[in-house]
Amino acid sequence: MEITDKRIDPIVEFGSLFNGNVFLHSGDPFLKMASIEAENRNFNAVNLTNGEPYTFGIEEFVEKIAHAELVMKD
Protein backbone atom coordinates (compact mmCIF):
# COMPACT_ATOMS: atom_id res chain seq x y z
CA MET A 1 0.00 0.00 0.00
CA GLU A 2 1.23 3.48 -0.86
CA ILE A 3 0.14 6.49 1.20
CA THR A 4 0.48 9.99 -0.23
CA ASP A 5 -0.23 13.00 1.95
CA LYS A 6 -1.24 15.93 -0.29
CA ARG A 7 -2.45 18.20 2.47
CA ILE A 8 -0.98 21.68 2.53
CA ASP A 9 0.71 22.64 5.78
CA PRO A 10 -1.19 25.64 7.15
CA ILE A 11 1.87 26.83 9.11
CA VAL A 12 3.58 29.46 6.97
CA GLU A 13 5.86 32.44 7.38
CA PHE A 14 3.99 35.71 7.77
CA GLY A 15 5.92 37.16 4.82
CA SER A 16 4.40 34.58 2.46
CA LEU A 17 0.86 35.89 3.06
CA PHE A 18 -0.86 38.45 0.82
CA ASN A 19 -2.65 41.54 2.11
CA GLY A 20 -6.18 40.47 2.98
CA ASN A 21 -5.21 36.92 4.02
CA VAL A 22 -6.63 35.73 7.33
CA PHE A 23 -4.46 33.75 9.74
CA LEU A 24 -4.34 32.56 13.33
CA HIS A 25 -1.69 33.46 15.87
CA SER A 26 -1.95 32.21 19.46
CA GLY A 27 -5.53 31.20 18.70
CA ASP A 28 -6.65 34.70 17.62
CA PRO A 29 -7.75 35.54 14.05
CA PHE A 30 -5.79 38.27 12.25
CA LEU A 31 -5.96 40.01 8.88
CA LYS A 32 -2.74 40.88 7.05
CA MET A 33 -2.76 44.44 5.75
CA ALA A 34 -0.46 46.90 4.05
CA SER A 35 2.02 48.29 6.53
CA ILE A 36 0.95 51.54 8.21
CA GLU A 37 2.88 53.75 10.59
CA ALA A 38 1.25 54.79 13.84
CA GLU A 39 2.60 55.48 17.32
CA ASN A 40 6.16 55.33 15.91
CA ARG A 41 5.64 51.70 14.83
CA ASN A 42 4.83 49.96 11.57
CA PHE A 43 1.76 47.76 11.88
CA ASN A 44 1.06 45.06 9.28
CA ALA A 45 -1.91 43.15 10.73
CA VAL A 46 -5.07 43.69 12.72
CA ASN A 47 -6.60 41.39 15.33
CA LEU A 48 -10.12 40.57 14.13
CA THR A 49 -11.37 39.95 17.66
CA ASN A 50 -10.50 43.28 19.24
CA GLY A 51 -9.43 45.52 16.33
CA GLU A 52 -5.94 46.11 17.74
CA PRO A 53 -3.10 46.61 15.22
CA TYR A 54 -0.10 44.28 15.42
CA THR A 55 3.36 43.91 13.94
CA PHE A 56 4.59 40.53 12.71
CA GLY A 57 8.08 39.72 11.48
CA ILE A 58 8.26 38.34 7.93
CA GLU A 59 9.78 35.07 9.20
CA GLU A 60 7.31 34.66 12.08
CA PHE A 61 5.21 31.49 11.78
CA VAL A 62 1.42 31.78 11.64
CA GLU A 63 -1.44 29.43 10.70
CA LYS A 64 -2.92 30.44 7.36
CA ILE A 65 -6.71 30.14 7.06
CA ALA A 66 -7.70 28.88 3.60
CA HIS A 67 -11.30 30.14 3.69
CA ALA A 68 -12.60 32.97 5.85
CA GLU A 69 -16.06 34.50 5.72
CA LEU A 70 -17.37 37.82 6.98
CA VAL A 71 -21.04 37.65 7.97
CA MET A 72 -22.97 40.85 8.62
CA LYS A 73 -26.24 40.67 10.58
CA ASP A 74 -28.76 43.18 11.91
Side-chain angles (χ1 to χ4, degrees), residues 14-58:
F14 177 79
S16 71
L17 298 174
F18 294 105
N19 290 341
N21 282 155
V22 176
F23 62 96
L24 294 177
H25 185 267
S26 298
D28 285 337
F30 287 84
L31 176 76
K32 182 176 181 181
M33 63 183 189
S35 183
I36 60 167
E37 186 175 335
E39 302 172 8
N40 296 321
R41 290 181 57 193
N42 285 319
F43 297 105
N44 55 14
V46 63
N47 183 314
L48 294 176
T49 301
N50 61 21
E52 293 291 321
Y54 280 82
T55 302
F56 287 90
I58 60 172

Side-chain angles (χ1 to χ4, degrees), residues 12 25 45 65 74:
V12 299
H25 185 267
I65 303 299
D74 286 337

Side-chain angles (χ1 to χ4, degrees), residues 1-7:
M1 171 175 36
E2 180 179 335
I3 299 173
T4 304
D5 186 352
K6 293 187 176 184
R7 294 177 296 175

